[in-house]
Amino acid sequence: MGSPSRFCEHVLKISSLILLICIPQIANLCCCNDSVTTSKIQNHEMVSSLQTLALDGYLSMEDNEHAANDFGNIYHFPPLAILYPETVYDISRTIKHIYEMGSGSEFKVAARGHGHSLQGQAQANQGLVINMKSLQGKEMKVHGGEMPYVDVSGGELWINILHETLKHGLAPKSWTDYLYLTVGGTLSNAGISGQAFRHGPQINNVYQLQVVTGKGEILTCSKNQNSDLFYSGLGGLGQFGIITRARISLEPAKKMVKWIRVLYSKFSTFSTDQEYLISLENTFDYIEGFVIKNRSGLLNNWRSSFNPKDPFQVSQFNSDGKTLYCLEMAKYFNPDETEAMNHVESLLSALSYIPSTLFQSEVSFVEFLDRVHISSIKLREKGLWEVPHPWLNLLIPRSKIHHFAQEVFGKILLDSSNGPILIYPVNQSRWNSETSFVTPEEDVFYLVAFLSSAIPFSTGTHSLENILTQNKQILDFCHNAQLEIKQYLPFYSSQEEWRAHFGPRWELFAQRKSTYDPLALLAPGHRIFQKASSTSR
């Protein structure tokens, strides 16, 4: 082992080497801590200066913890303050003030509607959250004529728009499945439901927007006025401005809905029928589908809301241990329209579903559109609403959907009891390529939505960790198999991933960001444009 002196000398050399290695890291750590401390001081100074502004609404500095939560319930970034604006000028003055303070600050601003984001997108760590629901402005106003529309606040809920427009015999054309969401929130993403194959997403059914940019400017935009901002704001993830008003396209509303569910045992037959229905001019008004794995007593559970065509055949059907595919359809009609019901029968006769699984129901137009809210109430009562929701939403080209189904539904997913799995096709021709939203480049693509809920403190298949691992397996498979998918409600951790998401449209997206939000103040929760030292990473 050598002499004690040589051993001590050896230890001294190693200790010196370790110290030399650690010094830069300690220095960097100190630097980092100094940077974070400086940033926090600057942010507090920013909030203090905001308190000097003359506002119709008000700033809240206390009890703001709720703004660090969202429906996803995974990320929690508390703001320093919340703005409760009464007018659009409150939002404009506030953002303009922050913008004029210059680029030295890392203070960020997020617009928050109903807090239904999944990955902290409506949060602003140590920044400012704008509560859009408090925005008053002009009242909701419905306009009739050949091209009817409604003017609404960006903080208005779609359920309120439904009730108000129905007073005039009108309704929006395109919806989301859940209506307790704000207009600004869904238009900043896309707004997709079972009507999208026909009318496109909600962003395709907008005539005009009022937007407050990252400079604090209040701009009215449409396809003929400030069109660049109009199209960039639609599906723009809040990166270019805050949508404070919108003019939504309407159509005559029906009073009733024929609501139908049928089952398939083969994915190929299921997808063929879905694609056939969306290819027709005169078809159902709503078409969705979902995947069912290992569900026992499925059809008996439907009986509370649907009537089986043949109760005896239904009683003989066994769903245990099977992977099944449900096609869900709806036809809007008025009570005196017998022709519409005849057409429903004609459409059903052309499909190849399992005959014993035909379930039908007739409900009001409002009851159908607000169907998810009823389910949410039941989940709240059971304490299963405010849990983590690690949702994964994918847009998959039609040419790749069968490979996806075979691998994901057949091998990766062993159980679907964590939440619904939606799957349905839409027509590319109904989506406006000028908006910021990106889709797969095929005539038809599928939305596949894994709407999982994690059970708190669980360590099994229902745990957050397990669901996130499963989501990663799905994404890794899509990447390795080169399926050329796009995420809906996208979430990435690096700008390189965002570049890949937007592909050839990234340069335009980044250029628009520098034009309308040059200091990258807005929507920091998406983590698209951020400094390397940002504390919200």
Side-chain angles (χ1 to χ4, degrees), residues 181-332:
L181 306 173
T182 58
V183 168
T186 64
L187 296 185
S188 294
N189 288 283
I192 306 174
S193 186
Q195 304 85 5
F197 77 94
R198 188 175 205 171
H199 297 293
Q202 290 180 320
I203 57 175
N204 270 43
N205 296 278
V206 181
Y207 291 140
Q208 183 177 287
L209 297 175
Q210 180 189 71
V211 176
V212 178
T213 70
K215 301 176 184 179
E217 305 165 302
I218 303 173
L219 298 176
T220 298
C221 52
S222 66
K223 66 178 183 179
N224 298 318
Q225 179 184 8
N226 295 317
S227 60
D228 187 62
L229 178 59
F230 178 68
Y231 288 120
S232 62
L234 293 171
L237 306 175
Q239 295 299 312
F240 313 107
I242 296 173
I243 297 173
T244 51
R245 287 198 71 78
R247 179 168 292 179
I248 310 296
S249 173
L250 303 176
E251 67 177 358
K254 302 291 186 177
K255 295 181 179 180
M256 299 293 294
V257 173
K258 186 76 169 181
W259 189 5
I260 303 166
R261 285 180 179 174
V262 294
L263 288 179
Y264 296 77
S265 58
K266 293 183 179 180
F267 181 79
S268 57
T269 311
F270 166 73
S271 60
T272 297
D273 278 1
Q274 280 192 316
E275 291 174 21
Y276 165 72
L277 289 176
I278 72 165
S279 71
L280 302 175
E281 283 297 322
N282 189 6
T283 184
F284 290 101
D285 297 291
Y286 161 99
I287 296 172
E288 284 196 10
F290 49 94
V291 183
I292 305 158
K293 290 180 71 73
N294 303 331
R295 287 279 299 277
S296 59
L298 171 68
L299 298 188
N300 285 330
N301 292 337
W302 285 1
R303 287 174 183 264
S304 61
S305 304
F306 295 86
N307 298 315
K309 184 176 182 180
D310 189 329
F312 176 75
Q313 282 193 332
V314 166
S315 67
Q316 304 300 305
F317 184 81
N318 181 12
S319 62
D320 289 0
K322 297 177 181 177
T323 297
L324 298 168
Y325 305 93
C326 175
L327 174 55
E328 187 172 44
M329 303 153 282
K331 186 68 177 178
Y332 308 156

Side-chain angles (χ1 to χ4, degrees), residues 465-483:
E465 182 181 5
N466 183 72
I467 298 171
L468 291 174
T469 299
Q470 183 175 273
N471 287 350
K472 185 178 184 305
Q473 284 182 291
I474 295 170
L475 289 172
D476 286 347
F477 159 71
C478 293
H479 175 75
N480 294 334
Q482 298 181 336
L483 298 192

Side-chain angles (χ1 to χ4, degrees), residues 65-170:
E65 291 79 10
H66 67 279
N69 301 321
D70 58 21
F71 181 71
N73 205 17
I74 298 173
Y75 293 87
H76 304 276
F77 296 130
L80 286 178
I82 299 178
L83 172 65
Y84 292 86
E86 188 172 313
T87 67
V88 66
Y89 301 104
D90 284 346
I91 299 175
S92 173
R93 290 188 193 106
T94 301
I95 293 179
K96 186 176 182 180
H97 176 84
I98 297 170
Y99 174 74
E100 290 178 346
M101 293 291 284
S103 59
S105 170
E106 294 206 8
F107 196 75
K108 304 295 182 183
V109 180
R112 177 186 173 90
H114 203 56
H116 212 261
S117 302
L118 298 174
Q119 310 278 3
Q121 288 94 335
Q123 299 175 27
N125 189 36
Q126 296 298 297
L128 176 73
V129 167
I130 300 177
N131 187 315
M132 296 301 294
K133 290 195 294 181
S134 73
L135 181 63
Q136 301 297 315
K138 301 176 183 177
E139 293 182 2
M140 198 186 313
K141 190 168 180 61
V142 179
H143 300 260
E146 292 185 7
M147 298 179 66
Y149 62 86
V150 58
D151 279 323
V152 298
S153 165
E156 190 63 78
L157 296 179
W158 285 98
I159 184 64
N160 296 335
I161 297 172
L162 173 62
H163 288 305
E164 184 63 28
T165 55
L166 283 178
K167 294 176 184 177
H168 303 264
L170 300 167

